[in-house]
Amino acid sequence: MAAVSGVWPFRRRTRAPEASPPSGPETDQEAANANGRSARILLALAGGVVIAIGMHAIAGILAPTLLALVLVICAQPVRVWLERHGTPSGVATGAVALTTFALLAGFVALLIIAMAQFVGMLPQYKEQFQQIGQQFATWLTSIGISPQDLKIVTQGFDPTKLLDVFTGVLGGALGIIAFGVIVLTMLILMPADAAYTPTLLRQLKPTKPNLVYAMTGFAHSVRRYMVVTTLLGIVQGVINGIALWLLGVPAALLWAILSFLCSFIPNVGYFLAIVPPLVFGYLIGGWGTVIAIIVIYGLVNAVVQSVVQPKVVGNAVALSQTLTFFSVLLWAVVLGAIGAILAIPLTLLFRAILVDSDPRARIWRGVIGDLRETKDLMKEESAEAKAERKSAKLAKQSPAGQQKKE
């Protein structure tokens, strides 16, 4: 062992000494505030829980209002362009409302057509779903599941019940009507109020410059993220829909719309969008179709979500992957399906209020995902470490190093 102790992997490495804690607080002000910091953190967390519970209680009116707000923010450049070319403010306001109405009307009409197609084809696959249920029940029997539980499983494989799942997510017929009324009303009122926003920001800037900076940055980030994600989601949905149609998967239009909607849900949306096509693809083509769907969805998602979107969106979002995933789960619990779709804009809103509007809190932007300075520092550290390794290697190869080794 002694003969090879200097050869990797047997070479002994010097253990780095453990870092000592700081001798004291950074500043006198920090020392004065240290005792109350824990209490303030706990109070802030408790306040956040109360706010989340309150938002969940009024989710029926809050979710459509926030959706309308995001749509108006995205349509605001239409107003700016029209007013820049001399269009009266009232006409520009109407153009913003009409733009959002047209987009929603087109999407709703497409969704209704796809849902009608889906409902019409469900009875055709009832027997196949029941066969799958029987096969699954046989497997459960082999691992010791009781007959009573098996009866529940086989009864559950009814494709007509899938429609109940969709209506449950959307809140039922009355919920959909109420949701639509609130959104349409807000899309009439918000563009009118938004006409005063530029003047209000200029009015606030002398006294609240940080708040104006945060709100302006929030609107820019949300607009860029939503517009880019919408365009890429359309591309993603079209490609997936055409691929499913060529493979003969039923309700390809509905699954293309689902793919478009799920493109707004980071990390989780891909899995939500691919499951229904996989089920119906297995029914009509077996495992070959399933593998083809997985490959196509995987390639499209990898290119769009991992390559194209980060380069186009850039630092507009600047949220870590962990925080992004957690925000999807949190807003889905608080506001339901709309919360999952609007998770990124809502998180950006809270970041603007809690972090960007306070100069002292901006130091935490790096922790929550703004890694521009961190990446530059990592590159410098990597270059320094590489230079040190190169210097050490040259030192060992020098005559003095060889003699010392001998």
Side-chain angles (χ1 to χ4, degrees):
M1 180 66 68
V4 296
S5 60
V7 180
W8 187 90
F10 303 99
R11 181 175 62 246
R12 293 182 179 178
R13 300 179 181 179
T14 56
R15 185 176 181 180
E18 296 183 0
S20 302
S23 58
E26 287 86 351
T27 62
D28 295 338
Q29 184 67 27
E30 186 73 16
N33 296 333
N35 293 330
R37 181 181 302 163
S38 300
R40 290 195 300 272
I41 292 175
L42 291 176
L43 287 175
L45 292 174
V49 171
V50 173
I51 292 172
I53 294 174
M55 294 177 70
H56 178 71
I58 60 171
I61 60 175
L62 184 60
T65 302
L66 292 173
L67 175 61
L69 174 63
V70 172
L71 291 175
V72 171
I73 290 175
C74 294
Q76 187 67 9
V78 176
R79 176 199 304 279
V80 175
W81 185 86
L82 290 174
E83 291 182 346
R84 187 182 301 161
H85 289 77
T87 305
S89 178
V91 177
T93 298
V96 172
L98 289 176
T99 300
T100 54
F101 284 163
L103 293 175
L104 280 179
F107 176 76
V108 170
L110 195 64
L111 183 60
I112 291 174
I113 294 173
M115 287 294 294
Q117 177 190 6
F118 179 65
V119 173
M121 66 143 195
L122 280 179
Q124 304 174 13
Y125 296 92
K126 184 175 182 179
E127 294 183 0
Q128 290 176 284
F129 272 97
Q130 290 176 346
Q131 290 177 2
I132 294 176
Q134 292 293 341
Q135 294 174 1
F136 188 54
T138 303
W139 176 76
L140 291 178
T141 303
S142 65
I143 60 175
I145 304 298
S146 64
Q148 292 80 7
D149 294 332
L150 291 178
K151 185 177 180 181
I152 296 174
V153 171
T154 55
Q155 291 177 350
F157 277 82
D158 188 352
T160 58
K161 296 182 179 180
L162 293 176
L163 187 60
D164 297 334
V165 176
F166 281 99
T167 56
V169 171
L170 297 175
L174 293 177
I176 295 173
I177 294 174
F179 185 91
V181 170
I182 294 174
V183 170
L184 293 178
T185 304
M186 286 296 179
L187 289 179
I188 295 173
L189 301 177
M190 284 185 178
D193 292 333
Y196 303 99
T197 301
T199 305
L200 286 173
L201 292 177
R202 287 193 295 269
Q203 184 180 355
L204 286 173
K205 192 170 185 179
T207 56
K208 300 290 184 180
N210 289 295
L211 180 61
V212 172
Y213 162 79
M215 291 297 102
T216 304
F218 161 72
H220 170 76
S221 298
V222 167
R223 189 179 302 118
R224 187 169 184 179
Y225 169 77
M226 292 299 291
V227 171
V228 170
T229 304
T230 299
L231 295 177
L232 293 178
I234 292 173
V235 173
Q236 191 170 348
V238 169
I239 295 175
N240 290 337
I242 293 175
L244 294 176
W245 177 71
L246 293 175
L247 291 171
V249 178
L253 178 60
L254 180 61
W255 311 137
I257 295 175
L258 180 64
S259 178
F260 165 73
L261 288 176
C262 290
S263 65
F264 293 92
I265 307 176
N267 305 122
V268 182
Y270 168 77
F271 300 99
L272 297 177
I274 197 174
V275 171
L278 288 179
V279 174
F280 285 93
Y282 175 77
L283 293 179
I284 59 98
W287 289 109
T289 303
V290 169
I291 294 174
I293 294 173
I294 293 175
V295 171
I296 294 170
Y297 268 63
L299 289 175
V300 173
N301 182 77
V303 173
V304 172
Q305 300 286 339
S306 303
V307 179
V308 179
Q309 189 177 35
K311 291 184 178 180
V312 179
V313 174
N315 205 56
V317 176
L319 297 174
S320 67
Q321 294 295 325
T322 303
L323 181 59
T324 299
F325 179 67
F326 177 77
S327 67
V328 172
L329 302 179
L330 174 65
W331 291 113
V333 171
V334 174
L335 298 178
I338 297 298
I341 294 174
L342 298 180
I344 298 300
L346 294 178
T347 305
L348 293 177
L349 175 59
F350 274 81
R351 187 187 72 178
I353 296 173
L354 300 177
V355 178
D356 295 344
S357 61
D358 187 354
R360 296 170 299 177
R362 288 178 199 156
I363 60 174
W364 298 106
R365 278 184 63 96
V367 177
I368 61 178
D370 190 354
L371 302 176
R372 287 174 294 181
E373 297 181 1
T374 305
K375 289 180 179 179
D376 294 337
L377 182 60
M378 289 179 64
K379 290 180 180 179
E380 294 177 1
E381 292 177 347
S382 178
E384 291 177 358
K386 186 176 180 180
E388 291 179 359
R389 290 194 299 268
K390 187 175 181 180
S391 299
K393 186 176 181 180
L394 292 175
K396 290 182 179 180
Q397 293 176 352
S398 63
Q402 295 289 341
Q403 292 177 359
K404 184 176 180 181
K405 183 176 180 181
E406 294 175 359

